[in-house]
Amino acid sequence: MKEHCRETLERAYLYLDKEQLGERERTQIRTHLEECTPCYERYDLEQQVAEIIARLKDNRSCPAGLRKKIKTLLDEA
């Protein structure tokens, strides 16, 4: 992975984690994600996993299939 991509994804994860980023940083991240398909796909995957985890956070029972899918996604990251 290119250094610029790695740095952009690290900042994108701050955005994903609801951290406050300035408008300039958000614009830089958005521009990079629009221009770099591998980064966009990786960011989109992480965003989907974060949303699933947030929804299930208060739910103690997680279907085995979903648990396996999440573990696989996390292992691939």
PDB file of all heavy atoms in Angstrom, residues 55-75:
ATOM      1  N   ARG A  55     -24.654  -1.516  15.656  1.00  0.00           N
ATOM      2  CA  ARG A  55     -26.025  -2.020  15.799  1.00  0.00           C
ATOM      3  C   ARG A  55     -26.102  -3.182  16.777  1.00  0.00           C
ATOM      4  O   ARG A  55     -27.067  -3.339  17.513  1.00  0.00           O
ATOM      5  CB  ARG A  55     -26.579  -2.466  14.457  1.00  0.00           C
ATOM      6  CG  ARG A  55     -27.071  -1.343  13.605  1.00  0.00           C
ATOM      7  CD  ARG A  55     -27.849  -1.893  12.447  1.00  0.00           C
ATOM      8  NE  ARG A  55     -27.047  -2.878  11.738  1.00  0.00           N
ATOM      9  CZ  ARG A  55     -26.843  -2.906  10.439  1.00  0.00           C
ATOM     10  NH1 ARG A  55     -27.399  -2.024   9.685  1.00  0.00           N
ATOM     11  NH2 ARG A  55     -26.095  -3.830   9.885  1.00  0.00           N
ATOM     12  N   LEU A  56     -25.074  -4.017  16.773  1.00  0.00           N
ATOM     13  CA  LEU A  56     -25.092  -5.219  17.601  1.00  0.00           C
ATOM     14  C   LEU A  56     -24.502  -4.998  18.991  1.00  0.00           C
ATOM     15  O   LEU A  56     -24.551  -5.910  19.821  1.00  0.00           O
ATOM     16  CB  LEU A  56     -24.325  -6.346  16.898  1.00  0.00           C
ATOM     17  CG  LEU A  56     -24.925  -6.817  15.582  1.00  0.00           C
ATOM     18  CD1 LEU A  56     -24.006  -7.817  14.920  1.00  0.00           C
ATOM     19  CD2 LEU A  56     -26.304  -7.414  15.803  1.00  0.00           C
ATOM     20  N   LYS A  57     -23.972  -3.833  19.226  1.00  0.00           N
ATOM     21  CA  LYS A  57     -23.276  -3.547  20.473  1.00  0.00           C
ATOM     22  C   LYS A  57     -24.108  -3.898  21.705  1.00  0.00           C
ATOM     23  O   LYS A  57     -23.602  -4.487  22.643  1.00  0.00           O
ATOM     24  CB  LYS A  57     -22.875  -2.071  20.512  1.00  0.00           C
ATOM     25  CG  LYS A  57     -22.063  -1.688  21.714  1.00  0.00           C
ATOM     26  CD  LYS A  57     -21.521  -0.286  21.564  1.00  0.00           C
ATOM     27  CE  LYS A  57     -22.612   0.714  21.806  1.00  0.00           C
ATOM     28  NZ  LYS A  57     -22.124   2.088  21.856  1.00  0.00           N
ATOM     29  N   ASP A  58     -25.367  -3.567  21.693  1.00  0.00           N
ATOM     30  CA  ASP A  58     -26.224  -3.829  22.844  1.00  0.00           C
ATOM     31  C   ASP A  58     -26.948  -5.163  22.759  1.00  0.00           C
ATOM     32  O   ASP A  58     -27.653  -5.549  23.675  1.00  0.00           O
ATOM     33  CB  ASP A  58     -27.243  -2.696  22.997  1.00  0.00           C
ATOM     34  CG  ASP A  58     -26.562  -1.380  23.313  1.00  0.00           C
ATOM     35  OD1 ASP A  58     -25.538  -1.406  24.032  1.00  0.00           O
ATOM     36  OD2 ASP A  58     -27.027  -0.342  22.834  1.00  0.00           O
ATOM     37  N   ASN A  59     -26.768  -5.865  21.678  1.00  0.00           N
ATOM     38  CA  ASN A  59     -27.424  -7.153  21.493  1.00  0.00           C
ATOM     39  C   ASN A  59     -26.444  -8.258  21.879  1.00  0.00           C
ATOM     40  O   ASN A  59     -25.403  -8.424  21.276  1.00  0.00           O
ATOM     41  CB  ASN A  59     -27.854  -7.306  20.028  1.00  0.00           C
ATOM     42  CG  ASN A  59     -28.675  -8.545  19.790  1.00  0.00           C
ATOM     43  OD1 ASN A  59     -28.777  -9.412  20.642  1.00  0.00           O
ATOM     44  ND2 ASN A  59     -29.264  -8.627  18.616  1.00  0.00           N
ATOM     45  N   ARG A  60     -26.787  -9.003  22.885  1.00  0.00           N
ATOM     46  CA  ARG A  60     -25.884 -10.046  23.395  1.00  0.00           C
ATOM     47  C   ARG A  60     -25.819 -11.271  22.491  1.00  0.00           C
ATOM     48  O   ARG A  60     -24.840 -11.977  22.473  1.00  0.00           O
ATOM     49  CB  ARG A  60     -26.310 -10.485  24.804  1.00  0.00           C
ATOM     50  CG  ARG A  60     -26.203  -9.392  25.813  1.00  0.00           C
ATOM     51  CD  ARG A  60     -24.756  -9.099  26.076  1.00  0.00           C
ATOM     52  NE  ARG A  60     -24.651  -8.044  27.060  1.00  0.00           N
ATOM     53  CZ  ARG A  60     -23.709  -7.164  27.081  1.00  0.00           C
ATOM     54  NH1 ARG A  60     -22.776  -7.174  26.173  1.00  0.00           N
ATOM     55  NH2 ARG A  60     -23.671  -6.237  28.008  1.00  0.00           N
ATOM     56  N   SER A  61     -26.876 -11.551  21.748  1.00  0.00           N
ATOM     57  CA  SER A  61     -26.851 -12.734  20.889  1.00  0.00           C
ATOM     58  C   SER A  61     -26.524 -12.316  19.462  1.00  0.00           C
ATOM     59  O   SER A  61     -27.133 -11.437  18.899  1.00  0.00           O
ATOM     60  CB  SER A  61     -28.198 -13.454  20.939  1.00  0.00           C
ATOM     61  OG  SER A  61     -29.215 -12.616  20.437  1.00  0.00           O
ATOM     62  N   CYS A  62     -25.538 -12.935  18.921  1.00  0.00           N
ATOM     63  CA  CYS A  62     -25.101 -12.662  17.553  1.00  0.00           C
ATOM     64  C   CYS A  62     -25.156 -13.983  16.794  1.00  0.00           C
ATOM     65  O   CYS A  62     -24.539 -14.969  17.230  1.00  0.00           O
ATOM     66  CB  CYS A  62     -23.674 -12.101  17.562  1.00  0.00           C
ATOM     67  SG  CYS A  62     -23.035 -11.728  15.930  1.00  0.00           S
ATOM     68  N   PRO A  63     -25.871 -14.029  15.691  1.00  0.00           N
ATOM     69  CA  PRO A  63     -25.940 -15.268  14.929  1.00  0.00           C
ATOM     70  C   PRO A  63     -24.539 -15.759  14.556  1.00  0.00           C
ATOM     71  O   PRO A  63     -23.647 -14.969  14.239  1.00  0.00           O
ATOM     72  CB  PRO A  63     -26.727 -14.872  13.679  1.00  0.00           C
ATOM     73  CG  PRO A  63     -27.462 -13.636  14.054  1.00  0.00           C
ATOM     74  CD  PRO A  63     -26.620 -12.946  15.074  1.00  0.00           C
ATOM     75  N   ALA A  64     -24.345 -17.052  14.617  1.00  0.00           N
ATOM     76  CA  ALA A  64     -23.037 -17.648  14.356  1.00  0.00           C
ATOM     77  C   ALA A  64     -22.506 -17.259  12.973  1.00  0.00           C
ATOM     78  O   ALA A  64     -21.313 -16.994  12.816  1.00  0.00           O
ATOM     79  CB  ALA A  64     -23.115 -19.161  14.497  1.00  0.00           C
ATOM     80  N   GLY A  65     -23.382 -17.234  11.979  1.00  0.00           N
ATOM     81  CA  GLY A  65     -22.952 -16.870  10.628  1.00  0.00           C
ATOM     82  C   GLY A  65     -22.422 -15.450  10.553  1.00  0.00           C
ATOM     83  O   GLY A  65     -21.411 -15.183   9.902  1.00  0.00           O
ATOM     84  N   LEU A  66     -23.098 -14.526  11.223  1.00  0.00           N
ATOM     85  CA  LEU A  66     -22.653 -13.141  11.244  1.00  0.00           C
ATOM     86  C   LEU A  66     -21.345 -13.013  12.011  1.00  0.00           C
ATOM     87  O   LEU A  66     -20.429 -12.308  11.583  1.00  0.00           O
ATOM     88  CB  LEU A  66     -23.720 -12.235  11.859  1.00  0.00           C
ATOM     89  CG  LEU A  66     -23.366 -10.758  11.966  1.00  0.00           C
ATOM     90  CD1 LEU A  66     -23.033 -10.179  10.593  1.00  0.00           C
ATOM     91  CD2 LEU A  66     -24.516  -9.992  12.601  1.00  0.00           C
ATOM     92  N   ARG A  67     -21.244 -13.699  13.122  1.00  0.00           N
ATOM     93  CA  ARG A  67     -20.015 -13.671  13.911  1.00  0.00           C
ATOM     94  C   ARG A  67     -18.834 -14.153  13.057  1.00  0.00           C
ATOM     95  O   ARG A  67     -17.757 -13.558  13.058  1.00  0.00           O
ATOM     96  CB  ARG A  67     -20.161 -14.542  15.155  1.00  0.00           C
ATOM     97  CG  ARG A  67     -18.948 -14.469  16.073  1.00  0.00           C
ATOM     98  CD  ARG A  67     -19.152 -15.241  17.347  1.00  0.00           C
ATOM     99  NE  ARG A  67     -20.231 -14.619  18.106  1.00  0.00           N
ATOM    100  CZ  ARG A  67     -21.228 -15.292  18.684  1.00  0.00           C
ATOM    101  NH1 ARG A  67     -21.272 -16.596  18.627  1.00  0.00           N
ATOM    102  NH2 ARG A  67     -22.157 -14.660  19.340  1.00  0.00           N
ATOM    103  N   LYS A  68     -19.043 -15.230  12.302  1.00  0.00           N
ATOM    104  CA  LYS A  68     -17.991 -15.780  11.445  1.00  0.00           C
ATOM    105  C   LYS A  68     -17.613 -14.781  10.357  1.00  0.00           C
ATOM    106  O   LYS A  68     -16.435 -14.574  10.071  1.00  0.00           O
ATOM    107  CB  LYS A  68     -18.451 -17.096  10.829  1.00  0.00           C
ATOM    108  CG  LYS A  68     -17.412 -17.761   9.975  1.00  0.00           C
ATOM    109  CD  LYS A  68     -17.901 -19.080   9.419  1.00  0.00           C
ATOM    110  CE  LYS A  68     -16.845 -19.700   8.527  1.00  0.00           C
ATOM    111  NZ  LYS A  68     -17.283 -20.944   7.934  1.00  0.00           N
ATOM    112  N   LYS A  69     -18.615 -14.144   9.761  1.00  0.00           N
ATOM    113  CA  LYS A  69     -18.380 -13.172   8.697  1.00  0.00           C
ATOM    114  C   LYS A  69     -17.570 -11.975   9.222  1.00  0.00           C
ATOM    115  O   LYS A  69     -16.619 -11.526   8.589  1.00  0.00           O
ATOM    116  CB  LYS A  69     -19.718 -12.694   8.133  1.00  0.00           C
ATOM    117  CG  LYS A  69     -19.622 -11.996   6.801  1.00  0.00           C
ATOM    118  CD  LYS A  69     -20.998 -11.582   6.337  1.00  0.00           C
ATOM    119  CE  LYS A  69     -21.487 -12.543   5.288  1.00  0.00           C
ATOM    120  NZ  LYS A  69     -22.736 -12.107   4.652  1.00  0.00           N
ATOM    121  N   ILE A  70     -17.936 -11.474  10.395  1.00  0.00           N
ATOM    122  CA  ILE A  70     -17.220 -10.346  11.003  1.00  0.00           C
ATOM    123  C   ILE A  70     -15.778 -10.735  11.308  1.00  0.00           C
ATOM    124  O   ILE A  70     -14.849  -9.999  11.027  1.00  0.00           O
ATOM    125  CB  ILE A  70     -17.939  -9.852  12.276  1.00  0.00           C
ATOM    126  CG1 ILE A  70     -19.262  -9.182  11.884  1.00  0.00           C
ATOM    127  CG2 ILE A  70     -17.052  -8.879  13.053  1.00  0.00           C
ATOM    128  CD1 ILE A  70     -20.160  -8.857  13.058  1.00  0.00           C
ATOM    129  N   LYS A  71     -15.600 -11.931  11.875  1.00  0.00           N
ATOM    130  CA  LYS A  71     -14.241 -12.393  12.196  1.00  0.00           C
ATOM    131  C   LYS A  71     -13.409 -12.489  10.933  1.00  0.00           C
ATOM    132  O   LYS A  71     -12.254 -12.062  10.911  1.00  0.00           O
ATOM    133  CB  LYS A  71     -14.288 -13.741  12.908  1.00  0.00           C
ATOM    134  CG  LYS A  71     -12.926 -14.240  13.333  1.00  0.00           C
ATOM    135  CD  LYS A  71     -13.007 -15.570  14.053  1.00  0.00           C
ATOM    136  CE  LYS A  71     -11.698 -16.125  14.500  1.00  0.00           C
ATOM    137  NZ  LYS A  71     -10.515 -15.776  13.786  1.00  0.00           N
ATOM    138  N   THR A  72     -13.980 -13.005   9.862  1.00  0.00           N
ATOM    139  CA  THR A  72     -13.258 -13.113   8.603  1.00  0.00           C
ATOM    140  C   THR A  72     -12.862 -11.749   8.084  1.00  0.00           C
ATOM    141  O   THR A  72     -11.719 -11.536   7.666  1.00  0.00           O
ATOM    142  CB  THR A  72     -14.113 -13.843   7.542  1.00  0.00           C
ATOM    143  OG1 THR A  72     -14.428 -15.156   8.031  1.00  0.00           O
ATOM    144  CG2 THR A  72     -13.407 -13.943   6.214  1.00  0.00           C
ATOM    145  N   LEU A  73     -13.778 -10.790   8.121  1.00  0.00           N
ATOM    146  CA  LEU A  73     -13.486  -9.434   7.659  1.00  0.00           C
ATOM    147  C   LEU A  73     -12.390  -8.786   8.485  1.00  0.00           C
ATOM    148  O   LEU A  73     -11.492  -8.121   7.962  1.00  0.00           O
ATOM    149  CB  LEU A  73     -14.754  -8.578   7.697  1.00  0.00           C
ATOM    150  CG  LEU A  73     -15.835  -8.925   6.688  1.00  0.00           C
ATOM    151  CD1 LEU A  73     -17.106  -8.140   6.966  1.00  0.00           C
ATOM    152  CD2 LEU A  73     -15.351  -8.691   5.269  1.00  0.00           C
ATOM    153  N   LEU A  74     -12.440  -8.975   9.795  1.00  0.00           N
ATOM    154  CA  LEU A  74     -11.417  -8.393  10.669  1.00  0.00           C
ATOM    155  C   LEU A  74     -10.065  -9.053  10.464  1.00  0.00           C
ATOM    156  O   LEU A  74      -9.036  -8.384  10.510  1.00  0.00           O
ATOM    157  CB  LEU A  74     -11.862  -8.496  12.131  1.00  0.00           C
ATOM    158  CG  LEU A  74     -13.062  -7.640  12.509  1.00  0.00           C
ATOM    159  CD1 LEU A  74     -13.491  -7.944  13.942  1.00  0.00           C
ATOM    160  CD2 LEU A  74     -12.758  -6.166  12.353  1.00  0.00           C
ATOM    161  N   ASP A  75     -10.061 -10.348  10.215  1.00  0.00           N
ATOM    162  CA  ASP A  75      -8.804 -11.065   9.980  1.00  0.00           C
ATOM    163  C   ASP A  75      -8.154 -10.615   8.663  1.00  0.00           C
ATOM    164  O   ASP A  75      -6.926 -10.618   8.550  1.00  0.00           O
ATOM    165  CB  ASP A  75      -9.017 -12.575   9.950  1.00  0.00           C
ATOM    166  CG  ASP A  75      -9.315 -13.141  11.329  1.00  0.00           C
ATOM    167  OD1 ASP A  75      -9.046 -12.462  12.341  1.00  0.00           O
ATOM    168  OD2 ASP A  75      -9.828 -14.283  11.388  1.00  0.00           O
TER     169      ASP A  75
END
